[in-house]
Amino acid sequence: MTPMTTEGEKPTAPAGSARRALVGRLSWGLADQAASSVSNFAVGIYVARSLGVTAFGVFSLAWVTYGVVLNVSRGLATDPLVVRFSGVPETSWRGAVTRSTGTALGVGTAIGAVCLVAGLGLGGRLGPAFAALGVMLPGLLLQDAWRYSFFAAGAGRKAFVNDVVWGVALVPALVVAARVGSVAAFVLAWGASATVAAGYGYVQSGIRPRPAEARGWLREQRDLGYRYLVENVSLSGASQLRAYGLGAIAGVGAVGAVRGAELLLGPFLAVLMGLSLVTVPEAARVLRQAPHRLGRFCLLLGGGQAVGALFWGGALLLMPGRLGELVLGGVWHSASELIVPITLGVAGAGLGTGAAAGLRALGAARRSLRCQLFASACYVGGGLGGAAAAGTVGSAWGVAAATVSSSAVWWLHLRSALREGHHDPLPEVRTS
């Protein structure tokens, strides 16, 4: 087994060597996010084309719910891991991963059981989709936990390979789901292929997750974990509230239209969703080795994503309608009207995530929690207020305005944290 050593741990390494190591880790991070984007994009496009806008709206509600549960798992299990165990000795890393992945698996099992029972009770179109999601949650969350673990160790290549395995397993699963032709079948296909990748993560690391040690992990990381839990759930919960509220105000088809437009910006949204896979570990390394460079690192990170999102959105505006219909089918017409506001929203979010990574690396959990609660409130208020005023398009513009405003708040808090001279990384907590 290849030892899980980290790159660039020694502060005495030459500047050129450290820079090459950083570029290498970021490159694997980009490659991994590209692989993840392709999988998410493929699922969304396949479902949209196969089932139409209303059924795609049902699938989108299940997807948003998964996002909430995923952020619960990240807040409790893997966010503390990447803050405290990035660039640490292998023995310490392995002990932490055993407990962290066990916590993720336990979260998936517990909340999955709730989703299964709720889905069986709901019935209709929505019930089977949520029941299928409940069955698949343990595998989905464990796969995500492996990705975080590999990036904390500076082994982004393994995270990339794991996502490629998921993508390869997804192809036959989607073919089978298309023959069945139901939302639940697509949810099962998506989750089953993730479970295959989760199993491969064990092969890659040689580490067995231990759910029985989750309680000890939660106790040791409680100073970060519970704040990150509230922060993450407020983020994904705001997205879910906006989706449900939009469906109630403008219809389930409006949810499908928004999801279709988001799919068109999928590469950047996927990067934002899993940003801490790369940015928080790297920000923590910058803080350990050159604290004075943290602000610049975060600015380059956020600014680069914002510019990239704007370029991508501009390209979408130039895309011929026929190509859009080929990609999204009947969802294209309603989704194309939302490209401009959603692009601006993604650009604003990309800029803000640079500051968020800096606050996480500093361990400024109180500041990041305040920022996220403010951002979530603005997101829900802008999305639902816009929907009440001008339907689906109004909701998209409301979210864009809220996201740009929230980004400014993130940066104000990071500037304050840096001025306070809070440059000491959080202490490593031994779990061996």
Side-chain angles (χ1 to χ4, degrees), residues 117-209:
V117 172
L120 294 175
L122 280 174
R125 284 188 171 187
L126 198 58
F130 272 80
L133 177 65
V135 173
M136 294 293 107
L137 274 177
L140 284 162
L141 299 190
L142 181 58
Q143 193 275 337
D144 185 74
W146 287 127
R147 297 171 71 209
Y148 268 71
S149 301
F150 292 142
F151 275 107
R157 177 181 60 84
K158 293 194 173 186
F160 169 74
V161 172
N162 193 275
D163 266 327
V164 169
V165 168
W166 185 1
V168 171
L170 186 61
V171 174
L174 286 179
V175 172
V176 174
R179 292 182 178 178
V180 176
S182 68
V183 176
F186 280 102
V187 174
L188 289 172
W190 166 52
S193 54
T195 302
V196 171
Y200 185 63
Y202 168 74
V203 175
Q204 289 177 291
S205 65
I207 298 173
R208 187 176 70 179

Side-chain angles (χ1 to χ4, degrees), residues 226-254:
Y226 293 116
R227 284 197 177 100
Y228 288 159
L229 170 65
V230 175
E231 184 178 328
N232 290 355
V233 170
S234 71
L235 171 65
S236 53
S239 178
Q240 190 172 27
L241 285 174
R242 187 258 183 134
Y244 287 145
L246 181 60
I249 295 170
V252 177

Side-chain angles (χ1 to χ4, degrees), residues 37-423:
S37 298
V38 169
S39 296
N40 292 336
F41 188 76
V43 171
I45 295 303
Y46 213 80
V47 176
R49 289 185 57 82
S50 300
L51 301 181
V53 68
T54 301
F56 186 54
V58 174
F59 180 84
S60 298
L61 291 176
W63 184 285
V64 169
T65 303
Y66 157 71
V68 176
V69 181
L70 179 64
N71 279 296
V72 171
S73 175
R74 288 179 176 176
L76 295 175
T78 50
D79 283 347
L81 177 76
V82 297
V83 170
R84 283 193 163 129
F85 295 91
S86 293
V88 301
E90 181 185 356
T91 301
S92 182
W93 174 85
R94 292 180 71 86
V97 170
T98 294
R99 296 185 173 191
S100 177
T101 54
T103 302
L105 192 57
V107 170
T109 301
I111 302 182
V114 174
C115 286
L116 176 61
V117 172
L120 294 175
L122 280 174
R125 284 188 171 187
L126 198 58
F130 272 80
L133 177 65
V135 173
M136 294 293 107
L137 274 177
L140 284 162
L141 299 190
L142 181 58
Q143 193 275 337
D144 185 74
W146 287 127
R147 297 171 71 209
Y148 268 71
S149 301
F150 292 142
F151 275 107
R157 177 181 60 84
K158 293 194 173 186
F160 169 74
V161 172
N162 193 275
D163 266 327
V164 169
V165 168
W166 185 1
V168 171
L170 186 61
V171 174
L174 286 179
V175 172
V176 174
R179 292 182 178 178
V180 176
S182 68
V183 176
F186 280 102
V187 174
L188 289 172
W190 166 52
S193 54
T195 302
V196 171
Y200 185 63
Y202 168 74
V203 175
Q204 289 177 291
S205 65
I207 298 173
R208 187 176 70 179
R210 296 184 183 275
E213 297 185 11
R215 181 177 297 179
W217 174 261
L218 294 174
R219 183 174 60 252
E220 291 166 0
Q221 310 300 329
R222 62 182 178 274
D223 58 326
L224 293 183
Y226 293 116
R227 284 197 177 100
Y228 288 159
L229 170 65
V230 175
E231 184 178 328
N232 290 355
V233 170
S234 71
L235 171 65
S236 53
S239 178
Q240 190 172 27
L241 285 174
R242 187 258 183 134
Y244 287 145
L246 181 60
I249 295 170
V252 177
V255 180
V258 170
R259 178 60 186 155
E262 290 174 347
L263 279 174
L264 296 173
L265 283 121
F268 294 97
L269 288 170
V271 168
L272 292 178
M273 287 178 62
L275 193 63
S276 57
L277 288 171
V278 182
T279 57
V280 175
E282 291 309 322
R285 287 186 176 92
V286 171
L287 185 62
R288 290 175 189 272
Q289 299 170 14
H292 60 284
R293 296 180 180 173
L294 180 62
R296 182 183 177 187
F297 172 82
C298 294
L299 183 60
L300 290 173
L301 175 70
Q305 286 201 84
V307 171
L310 291 174
F311 272 110
W312 186 268
L316 290 176
L317 291 174
L318 299 175
M319 186 170 66
R322 288 184 178 180
L323 181 58
E325 292 177 359
L326 179 65
V327 173
L328 289 179
V331 180
W332 162 253
H333 177 70
S334 53
S336 62
E337 299 176 349
L338 310 179
I339 290 175
V340 173
I342 286 184
T343 296
L344 293 176
V346 172
L351 185 61
T353 51
L359 288 175
R360 284 280 176 102
L362 288 166
R366 290 184 179 179
R367 286 189 177 276
S368 63
L369 177 58
R370 291 191 203 112
C371 291
Q372 190 55 66
L373 290 175
F374 174 82
S376 299
C378 289
Y379 183 91
V380 174
L384 298 187
T392 310
V393 176
S395 179
W397 278 108
V399 166
T403 306
V404 172
S405 301
S406 302
S407 177
V409 173
W410 280 105
W411 278 102
L412 287 173
H413 273 271
L414 177 61
R415 186 177 68 172
S416 298
L418 292 173
R419 284 181 174 178
E420 289 170 358
H422 186 182
H423 295 321

